[in-house]
Amino acid sequence: MTKKTLIALAAALALGSAFTSATAADFTADFHVSKGLNCATCHKTAPVEGAKVKKATCQSCHSYESLAQKTAKVEPNPHYNHLGDVNCTDCHKGHQKSELMCNQCHQFQLNVPHSK
């Protein structure tokens, strides 16, 4: 890593720490940190602004099938739908408010947890 990259990373981490403490557990990333995980758990390389975590990274801990079972009583089940196995970050945002991607076409009244 270059010196410039290290400085940028250190600044981002410092800002992120201040932001996280102010909004603990508001976002998916904050939930993961509260469970003892660190940035590198999801970001396999240095975080890049605007870069999404890959679905395979999420699925290394969370299986889509088990999530569909956990949300089996939710109607409609967001993890068992006509779109299939969608990208996790389409709904669960790491560092911003999560949103139900389905509502781009539908108007479901579902709460998208920032975590779990």
Side-chain angles (χ1 to χ4, degrees):
M1 252 186 229
T2 67
K3 184 177 180 181
K4 187 184 275 188
T5 302
L6 288 172
I7 292 170
L9 182 57
L13 289 172
L15 287 172
S17 296
F19 183 69
T20 299
S21 64
T23 59
D26 283 350
F27 303 131
T28 302
D30 301 322
F31 175 81
H32 285 97
V33 168
S34 75
K35 297 296 182 188
L37 303 172
N38 62 32
C39 300
T41 304
C42 299
H43 296 281
K44 301 302 180 190
T45 58
V48 177
E49 188 174 334
K52 290 184 177 182
V53 173
K54 295 188 183 334
K55 177 173 49 177
T57 302
C58 299
Q59 291 180 335
S60 68
C61 295
H62 309 277
S63 88
Y64 212 81
E65 294 77 22
S66 70
L67 291 170
Q69 288 174 353
K70 284 182 180 180
T71 56
K73 294 182 181 179
V74 175
E75 187 60 41
N77 188 339
H79 297 109
Y80 183 74
N81 60 70
H82 66 94
L83 297 174
D85 191 1
V86 300
N87 290 319
C88 305
T89 57
D90 287 348
C91 293
H92 302 278
K93 311 297 182 185
H95 300 281
Q96 59 188 358
K97 187 175 188 259
S98 293
E99 61 188 18
L100 185 63
M101 181 263 307
C102 300
N103 282 349
Q104 292 175 3
C105 298
H106 304 279
Q107 294 303 310
F108 298 128
Q109 298 299 314
L110 298 177
N111 179 34
V112 180
H114 304 295
S115 57
K116 297 181 188 172

